[in-house]
Amino acid sequence: MSPASDLLAHTLAQADFHPRLPQQRRLYEAAKAAIHQQQLGAGNKLPSSRDLARDLGIARNTVIAAFEQLAAEGYVTSALGSGTYVADLQAHSASMRGVGSAQQSANTAALATAKGGASAPLSRRGEELTAFAAGPRYEIQPFAPGDADFSSFPFKLWQRLQNRIWREARADLLDYGQSGGYLPLRQAITEYLRISRSVKVSVEQVMITAGTQQSLDLCAQLLADVGDTAWVEDPCYWGARRVFQARDLTLHPITVDSDGMALDEDELATSPRLIYVTPSHQYPTGAVMSLARRRELLDVAVRKNAWILEDDYDSEFRYTGRPLAALQGLDTDDRVLYMGTFSKVLYPGIKVGYLVVPPALIAPFKSALYDLQRPGQLMVQAALADFIALGHFTTHIRKIRQTYGARRELLRRTLVAQLGPQLSQSVTISSEESGLHLVVELPDRVDDVALEKLAAESGIQVKALSTYYLAPPVRRGLLVGYAYVTPEKVVYYGRLLAAVIQSGVR
């Protein structure tokens, strides 16, 4: 047996060497590894396919197929009547360095930086977008704001609906969504929005997207150019900020008070292309935009030829009375694009949302949704359409609304009891009966970021209100989620949180 055969046989005899791969692929991987590790050096002659097959006890065709793959990828060279030899990979690398040594050096330096240098090789925009690192901050932990209790999702019912769709074996549901989404789902959403949110909408105006982030991104791409101004609420939902920054828009923060976005002469002197608002339940403060402010905003949009992006992210979670009517329902000039999502009411990973566009924008948005996003998941959309049409959606909302409302009240009572009357003058707990979080507002002198970190040491994932501001923050506080916390944990962690707040306020 030749040294090369012996080396390859030893490698293939190892039980943990790609045990699930076909023998042809295992031989290829063994030879490639030996070449990379220079156990088979450049210029070494490999055994003939007949000899190697005999030495390894495998079929000759298996060896030939492995040799052909190695040759195709440049690891070996062969000539008729001469044999098969290991290629000189180092010579190829040297020739590449000679052709473009400056470029090679730059690439090498960038790679070294990426692997462990002082900074990642990102653009300025990339560094800005990744600085926030929202993902690690929003893991499911007690009191994380914005998280819904998707453990209560009716899994078995959903599975039955999906199984029925799959049994129908409809090939059209395996394609991209070419018409703005699955028609029965768009019809169901249309009726739902008309009845529950007073949205003026036809089926043609509804586009199915992969959620609010994609809806916002589509609006930013189609309605604004690089450098255009976007008015955003201050404090503002971090996801909207990231989308607009990624599209190189200029953000102009506008202060939010108890009546929503507050426009003054300085703001009115600017000319926005987009205006992003959460009027029914401002995120994160919870303020509800007054009727006067809504009418003013609609008037401004017409005068400045701007588009209003209405994010109605949690209208289902209003615990007293009916959900508030949408701003879009007041719009008589077709300046509002209305968006919502199923990720909050069903489960985050469903990644299905909807965007209602004015009639004049139907054709371009439908075309761009297909050309830019290649939407799919029609099987999921079909199951969701049945889920709504059969009444399961309404039942599910009613159930979780009761659950979340009870948890919210329990959290409020726990915090009030633990904080005591001595802090009632300096600490305010939001009283809005809606949403998935409440705000514990703190005195201006309190460092809410420090309290956020202190709470994290106790296993509590609250968020500092000041971190949501673009301009210097005018309010301090903590966002406390309650949806994904059982009643027992609400009380336990509520007491821990109250102790953290007391330590920071006193």
Side-chain angles (χ1 to χ4, degrees):
M1 182 180 292
S2 69
S5 295
D6 186 58
L7 173 65
L8 295 174
H10 176 74
T11 302
L12 293 173
Q14 299 175 14
D16 60 347
F17 184 77
H18 302 293
R20 297 181 182 276
L21 292 180
Q23 189 73 331
Q24 166 194 328
R25 184 60 185 270
R26 294 185 74 234
L27 177 58
Y28 156 82
E29 293 289 349
K32 185 174 71 171
I35 293 171
H36 275 299
Q37 296 166 12
Q38 298 185 355
Q39 294 171 316
L40 291 176
N44 281 8
K45 184 176 181 179
L46 298 180
S48 68
S49 58
R50 181 178 287 105
D51 290 343
L52 187 57
R54 183 193 64 243
D55 293 342
L56 300 180
I58 59 178
R60 185 185 179 194
N61 284 342
T62 299
V63 177
I64 292 173
F67 277 15
E68 288 177 346
Q69 185 65 31
L70 290 167
E73 296 183 13
Y75 288 101
V76 299
T77 60
S78 60
L80 185 63
S82 176
T84 301
Y85 296 85
V86 176
D88 188 353
L89 303 183
Q90 297 297 323
H92 176 71
S93 298
S95 67
M96 289 298 293
R97 286 194 296 271
V99 170
S101 58
Q103 183 62 48
Q104 285 289 103
S105 299
N107 292 342
T108 302
L111 181 61
T113 301
K115 289 182 176 180
S119 61
L122 299 177
S123 65
R124 287 191 299 272
R125 177 173 56 186
E127 291 178 351
E128 182 177 291
L129 292 175
T130 56
F132 186 73
R137 305 183 187 197
Y138 284 85
E139 297 174 355
I140 299 300
Q141 293 179 352
F143 297 156
D147 289 331
D149 186 2
F150 46 85
S151 66
S152 62
F153 182 73
F155 292 96
K156 292 184 179 179
L157 169 61
W158 184 256
Q159 185 179 40
R160 288 199 301 271
L161 293 175
Q162 286 199 309
N163 288 343
R164 186 186 66 77
I165 298 297
W166 280 104
R167 283 196 300 270
E168 292 178 356
R170 292 174 52 186
D172 61 306
L173 295 182
L174 300 180
D175 199 358
Y176 296 117
Q178 301 179 10
S179 301
Y182 184 59
L183 179 58
L185 177 58
R186 293 163 55 213
Q187 291 171 331
I189 291 172
T190 299
E191 291 305 309
Y192 172 71
L193 293 179
R194 282 174 178 167
I195 295 171
S196 68
R197 305 293 293 115
S198 300
V199 172
K200 297 183 297 185
V201 57
S202 66
V203 174
E204 290 74 22
Q205 292 175 260
V206 178
M207 314 281 168
I208 305 300
T209 68
T212 299
Q213 296 297 102
Q214 189 184 80
S215 296
L216 288 170
D217 190 46
L218 198 60
C219 292
Q221 291 185 77
L222 297 187
L223 302 178
D225 291 315
V226 171
D228 280 350
T229 297
W231 283 0
V232 296
E233 300 166 318
D234 204 28
C236 180
Y237 167 52
W238 61 267
R241 290 165 53 180
R242 291 296 172 267
V243 168
F244 299 149
Q245 288 171 331
R247 294 301 171 186
D248 288 321
L249 302 185
T250 301
L251 300 186
H252 184 88
I254 298 180
T255 300
V256 169
D257 60 21
S258 59
D259 288 326
M261 181 180 278
L263 300 176
D264 59 25
E265 292 184 1
D266 290 338
E267 271 76 49
L268 294 175
T270 63
S271 296
R273 184 61 177 164
L274 303 178
I275 304 173
Y276 172 76
V277 289
T278 52
S280 295
H281 187 237
Q282 201 276 330
Y283 192 88
T285 67
V288 176
M289 182 177 285
S290 66
L291 179 59
R293 293 271 179 88
R294 293 178 183 225
R295 292 190 179 280
E296 178 188 25
L297 194 62
L298 291 169
D299 180 64
V300 168
V302 173
R303 288 191 285 110
K304 293 184 175 292
N305 193 31
W307 298 100
I308 298 175
L309 309 184
E310 180 179 6
D311 182 358
D312 199 11
Y313 65 98
D314 69 350
S315 61
E316 289 81 9
F317 304 122
R318 187 168 181 82
Y319 308 118
T320 57
R322 288 175 51 80
L324 299 176
L327 172 66
Q328 191 266 9
L330 299 174
D331 181 20
T332 59
D333 297 285
D334 292 333
R335 305 307 303 177
V336 178
L337 291 89
Y338 175 91
M339 60 195 70
T341 179
F342 290 99
S343 293
K344 295 291 187 186
V345 292
L346 297 182
Y347 60 93
I350 194 171
K351 295 300 293 179
V352 176
Y354 47 87
L355 175 65
V356 178
V357 303
L361 298 179
I362 292 174
F365 265 75
K366 185 178 294 187
S367 174
L369 179 64
Y370 179 74
D371 292 340
L372 300 177
Q373 308 293 352
R374 282 296 190 268
Q377 288 196 309
L378 293 183
M379 288 288 188
V380 174
Q381 293 185 29
L384 180 54
D386 288 348
F387 189 75
I388 297 173
L390 296 173
H392 303 307
F393 183 64
T394 302
T395 301
H396 178 65
I397 289 176
R398 186 183 306 116
K399 175 183 175 182
I400 59 177
R401 184 185 291 146
Q402 293 173 347
T403 300
Y404 295 167
R407 292 177 183 179
R408 178 185 183 88
E409 182 57 29
L410 179 59
L411 176 58
R412 278 184 51 83
R413 291 201 309 266
T414 301
L415 290 176
V416 169
Q418 293 299 309
L419 292 174
Q422 65 273 21
L423 294 181
S424 61
Q425 300 300 317
S426 56
V427 176
T428 303
I429 301 175
S430 59
S431 59
E432 294 86 2
E433 294 296 326
S434 58
L436 297 175
H437 73 270
L438 53 78
V439 179
V440 179
E441 194 158 350
L442 304 169
D444 293 341
R445 59 180 172 80
V446 175
D447 185 349
D448 56 359
V449 175
L451 285 188
E452 175 190 327
K453 294 178 180 178
L454 187 59
E457 295 176 3
S458 299
I460 302 171
Q461 186 66 45
V462 295
K463 281 297 298 175
L465 177 59
S466 64
T467 61
Y468 288 83
Y469 281 88
L470 282 80
V474 298
R475 299 163 64 181
R476 305 281 178 175
L478 297 175
L479 275 66
V480 187
Y482 46 79
Y484 203 89
V485 193
T486 63
E488 297 78 16
K489 290 184 177 180
V490 166
V491 175
Y492 174 75
Y493 286 107
R495 290 171 177 169
L496 291 180
L497 179 60
V500 170
I501 294 172
Q502 287 173 329
S503 68
V505 175
R506 287 175 177 171

